[in-house]
Amino acid sequence: MNASHVPLIDLTGICRSYRSGDVVTRALRGVELSIYSGEFVAIVGASGSGKSTLMNIIGLIDRPTQGIYRFAGQDVAGLDRDGLAALRRNSFGFIFQQYHLISTVSALGNVEMPAVHAGAPRAYRHRRASALLARLGLATRMFNRPSQLSGGQQQRVSIARSLMNGGAVILADEPTGALDSKSGTEVLGILKELAGAGHTIILITHDSNVAAAAERIIRIEDGLIASDSGRDAGRVPRSSVAVAARHANGTSPPLWAWLEEAARSAFAALAVNPVRTALTLSGIVIGVASVVAMMAIGRGAQASFMERASAIGTNWLVVSRAGESAVTSMPLTLADAEAIKDLANVSGSMPALWEAGILRHANTDMNAEVIATTAEFRTVHNWDTAKGMFFTKEDEISGNAVMLLGATLALKLFPNIADPSGSHVLVNNIPFLVTGVLESKGLSEKGMDRDNNVVMPLRTAAMRLYGKDELSEIVVSIADMSRLQQTKDAIKSLLIRRHGREDFWLHDAASAFRKAEDERRSSNLLLGAIAAISMLVGGIGIMNIMLITVAERTREIGVRAAIGARTADILGQFLTEAIVLSAIGGVFGLLLGVLIGIAAATLFGMTVIFSITAAIGAVTGAVVMGTLFGFMPAFRAARLDPVVALSSQ
Ligand code: ADP
Ligand code: MG
């Protein structure tokens, strides 16, 4: 196709009216205009005559209400949103009176932007953008933000941006309007140079001095072309700039480019208003932190619980005296224990008496718990000796004055002796032979020292210390747990028969564990609900901040659209931004959760087990929330009409 015969831009009967309520403004009323490749055209006219409207239509960021626009012979009416974006991206460069640079991005980043949307590789983009900036005298300003540049410099950045994808057609709307006369002259000089290099330049101005820079001047009045100096007939058409530069035809930008852009915007948004962002993210942070901390504490509790359960098993129950008053209850006796042992499904019974005692060795006095029981204590409580040996059946039968020392007592009474077995200790002033030292069991759940005790045969305690054949409890081992209830009932009726009334309590380990397990499960459920609610609140927070962001950055969205961003690019950008924000919230929540867990462990001595799965799950949950709730604002941004977005304040 011959460039000199087919106009690059061909407008026939173009009308554009704006309707607001009942008022209809006819900005363009039938424009007929052909512009050929390589021309330098100025469109002049008074303010309100329709220049910008015409430029928006030529630049494909607005559609005419009537008329036909052919670009390089092709009717653009058939192009959809993304088709128009592609044409803008590949063939047009825009220069605005107010520069319209993206404030959070460096000069270099702004210039690269059209190529990002064209999917050009990073190295190519970088090279070309740097070269363009250098050519426009901004080699030392590449990494400055727009706010750090003068008006003239910003306009030169926007010229570089318009050239990034080739800039076959450059549309400049009042490019010198905001500049001092020196910078204005400079910018006009650059446009002339570009025209000389074969770019098609359409310069819009209300100033006839500015228009004089062009070769062809078109005057517009009240939405109609009033005069046209016409093409310079004698002018030899120069070889025009290829409609698109290399790489400019494009695939979507690669995912990482999106991510990079979005992460940058997200961090920029964070930096612009950190307090607002922090408050917005608090829901996500709290949600993730509670999941992480509570899971860790819950798992810790479960683990120590399981450890306890497996240490002492669940196949036992305890019979204890109900109340201490001799009037209302009879003490449990060894005879009761023997009788229980004879019941069906009872594999053993361990009688025990728990009493206080005072120990003395050398000059040290210690209060201790005296546990008087049988050798079955070892197996029932899974509690063996660390040193020496357990007392024997013979000791039990004869009531010998022998005993085992708890680990704490061994340490306190015999600080200098590794193994006190064979030594003598006074219990309530009666000498006892120490046969061994018990394994340490540490603190109980209630914080009591379980090692501050001595264990001796029942008969020894009854004969030598307390002078009574009474028990505190009888621990009963069950053979078949499936018949637990029948066995409990049998023990109950046996003891009622023996005591004449129910003056005892029955606790079975299995139901105690089951109860604890149920409590844990319901508290987990509650915590899960709390976490879910705070996640939801967090998601709404993300949606809120994204809606605000989209509203605040409407013009940026318009600029991106003008330089060729697809619907998907903008959708993806804001969606990724929401995801990045929620991921930041998730990571902070994770840190907070770990801190809470560590605090629980160090301050309250809780067992805490962190779970990688919970951490990943919680952060993923936050990101999913961000995605779900970020979608609506992102979609709203993507659907914005470019021309409306551009003109927003
Ligand atoms: P110029 O750029 O020459 O100053 P415009 O093309 O901006 O003129 O505007 C042409 C006419 O259309 C003006 O009367 C203006 O008020 C009107 N106009 C422009 N944009 C809109 C809009 N978005 N809604 C309603 N009227 C508009
Ligand atoms: Mg205007």
Side-chain angles (χ1 to χ4, degrees):
M1 155 183 6
N2 190 327
S4 59
H5 288 94
V6 178
L8 183 61
I9 290 160
D10 187 19
L11 305 178
T12 317
I14 292 291
C15 297
R16 176 69 167 100
S17 24
Y18 298 103
R19 182 187 299 274
S20 57
D22 290 338
V23 187
V24 176
T25 310
R26 300 186 64 200
L28 297 177
R29 302 186 292 142
V31 170
E32 308 281 336
L33 178 62
S34 299
I35 296 170
Y36 289 82
S37 190
E39 280 195 285
F40 186 177
V41 179
I43 297 174
V44 288
S47 175
S49 55
K51 302 183 298 294
S52 295
T53 305
L54 181 58
M55 189 196 92
N56 291 339
I57 285 171
I58 292 174
L60 301 164
I61 52 181
D62 194 12
R63 288 178 189 269
T65 33
Q66 222 182 300
I68 297 168
Y69 173 11
R70 288 193 187 82
F71 182 81
Q74 181 196 6
D75 187 349
V76 300
L79 294 174
D80 65 0
R81 210 180 153 93
D82 282 348
L84 292 173
L87 204 48
R88 281 197 299 274
R89 184 164 66 234
N90 296 332
S91 304
F92 286 93
F94 292 87
I95 301 169
F96 302 95
Q97 179 173 2
Q98 297 303 332
Y99 330 125
H100 286 348
L101 299 175
I102 291 164
S103 61
T104 51
V105 178
S106 69
L108 191 69
N110 269 285
V111 177
E112 284 186 46
M113 198 86 60
V116 170
H117 293 302
R122 186 191 178 78
Y124 163 80
R125 258 167 38 200
H126 207 79
R127 214 171 340 108
R128 181 164 169 83
S130 311
L132 285 169
L133 282 168
R135 202 168 110 197
L136 290 163
L138 291 167
T140 58
R141 295 296 185 168
M142 290 195 215
F143 301 105
N144 288 77
R145 295 280 168 90
S147 60
Q148 298 165 323
L149 300 172
S150 73
Q153 289 171 329
Q154 289 188 62
Q155 197 60 298
R156 278 184 276 152
V157 172
S158 85
I159 293 173
R161 179 177 66 188
S162 74
L163 295 170
M164 187 63 195
N165 284 351
V169 185
I170 292 176
L171 294 170
D173 190 357
E174 303 278 8
T176 60
L179 300 177
D180 58 81
S181 61
K182 184 172 166 284
S183 307
T185 312
E186 240 170 54
V187 165
L188 284 179
I190 295 166
L191 290 179
K192 265 188 190 167
E193 242 174 71
L194 291 172
H199 294 264
T200 306
I201 312 269
I202 301 172
L203 167 65
I204 284 167
T205 180
H206 67 279
D207 183 340
S208 45
N209 293 328
V210 171
E215 298 157 346
R216 174 182 173 191
I217 297 177
I218 297 165
R219 181 166 298 278
I220 183 167
E221 274 168 27
D222 284 335
L224 279 173
I225 296 195
S227 70
D228 184 346
S229 71
R231 289 179 71 196
D232 180 354
R235 182 174 151 271
V236 181
R238 288 156 298 210
S239 64
S240 63
V241 174
V243 157
R246 208 156 59 84
H247 294 298
N249 286 309
T251 49
S252 285
L255 186 63
W256 62 261
W258 262 4
L259 286 171
E260 190 192 343
E261 282 281 318
R264 195 180 305 170
S265 306
F267 283 112
L270 274 171
V272 167
N273 206 332
V275 174
R276 184 178 81 182
T277 312
L279 289 175
T280 307
L281 289 181
S282 58
I284 290 276
V285 172
I286 292 168
V288 171
S290 58
V291 171
V292 170
M294 296 313 160
M295 288 285 277
I297 292 168
R299 274 167 55 110
Q302 165 141 30
S304 57
F305 173 82
M306 294 304 277
E307 195 187 357
R308 209 146 34 89
S310 69
I312 50 180
T314 54
N315 61 333
W316 49 269
L317 55 83
V318 176
V319 187
S320 57
R321 188 174 173 181
E324 287 297 312
S325 158
V327 191
T328 56
S329 72
M330 272 168 66
L332 291 164
T333 61
L334 214 48
D336 289 333
E338 294 301 325
I340 290 170
K341 206 182 237 168
D342 291 339
L343 289 173
N345 196 31
V346 169
S347 56
S349 80
M350 186 201 78
L353 171 68
W354 299 64
E355 278 285 353
I358 298 167
L359 269 60
R360 171 175 297 170
H361 175 76
N363 289 323
T364 313
D365 277 11
M366 295 286 298
N367 285 308
E369 181 129 51
V370 175
I371 306 170
T373 182
T374 63
E376 277 172 304
F377 179 87
R378 280 164 89 175
T379 44
V380 169
H381 286 288
N382 190 20
W383 201 342
D384 214 334
T385 53
K387 289 156 193 159
M389 41 183 247
F390 222 86
F391 53 75
T392 61
K393 267 277 171 264
E394 169 59 30
D395 292 326
E396 278 183 51
I397 292 162
S398 321
N400 291 338
V402 294
M403 67 175 187
L404 292 133
L405 271 183
T408 303
L409 292 171
L411 216 65
K412 294 259 172 73
L413 295 176
F414 298 94
N416 304 318
I417 298 172
D419 182 1
S421 306
S423 310
H424 281 84
V425 170
L426 295 179
V427 181
N428 292 356
N429 284 322
I430 295 169
F432 276 73
L433 172 70
V434 176
T435 63
V437 177
L438 289 166
E439 288 170 337
S440 172
K441 289 274 184 185
L443 296 181
S444 72
E445 315 84 273
K446 287 172 189 139
M448 304 279 285
D449 183 358
R450 281 188 286 208
D451 300 322
N452 196 52
N453 57 4
V454 300
V455 176
M456 63 178 64
L458 200 56
R459 199 172 159 76
T460 308
M463 279 170 31
R464 297 172 189 265
L465 290 178
Y466 304 114
K468 59 180 180 181
D469 174 26
E470 286 180 12
L471 302 175
S472 313
E473 63 178 31
I474 302 167
V475 180
V476 182
S477 330
I478 308 296
D480 175 6
M481 281 302 281
S482 66
R483 289 192 288 137
L484 175 66
Q485 197 51 50
Q486 290 98 301
T487 314
K488 273 171 83 172
D489 292 343
I491 293 170
K492 205 168 184 173
S493 45
L494 172 77
L495 287 180
I496 289 174
R497 216 174 325 121
R498 291 177 62 87
H499 288 203
R501 57 179 166 262
E502 191 173 340
D503 56 357
F504 54 88
W505 281 319
L506 270 178
H507 300 285
D508 69 285
S511 44
F513 280 131
R514 212 175 307 122
K515 198 165 151 238
E517 183 70 22
D518 284 351
E519 278 167 10
R520 219 175 43 74
R521 205 165 286 150
S522 61
S523 75
N524 269 1
L525 218 62
L526 184 70
L527 292 170
I530 291 170
I533 290 168
S534 46
M535 288 282 209
L536 197 68
V537 171
I540 293 168
I542 296 279
M543 177 151 74
N544 183 39
I545 198 79
M546 289 312 296
L547 283 173
I548 293 171
T549 300
V550 168
E552 282 175 350
R553 287 156 60 194
T554 304
R555 184 123 56 122
E556 178 192 321
I557 295 163
V559 173
R560 284 179 187 271
I563 63 180
R566 295 165 191 79
T567 307
D569 294 341
I570 294 171
L571 180 71
Q573 184 200 338
F574 282 89
L575 198 54
T576 315
E577 219 169 282
I579 293 169
V580 168
L581 271 178
S582 49
I584 291 170
V587 168
F588 274 101
L590 181 59
L591 292 177
L592 183 64
V594 169
L595 281 181
I596 292 172
I598 291 172
T602 50
L603 299 182
F604 305 110
M606 292 180 184
T607 310
V608 168
I609 300 173
F610 289 109
S611 149
I612 303 279
T613 324
I616 293 173
V619 176
T620 309
V623 171
V624 167
M625 279 292 163
T627 313
L628 289 179
F629 284 91
F631 195 81
M632 196 266 268
F635 192 69
R636 180 177 282 196
R639 293 309 301 176
L640 274 172
D641 190 351
V643 73
V644 171
L646 258 181
S647 60
S648 99
Q649 292 313 299

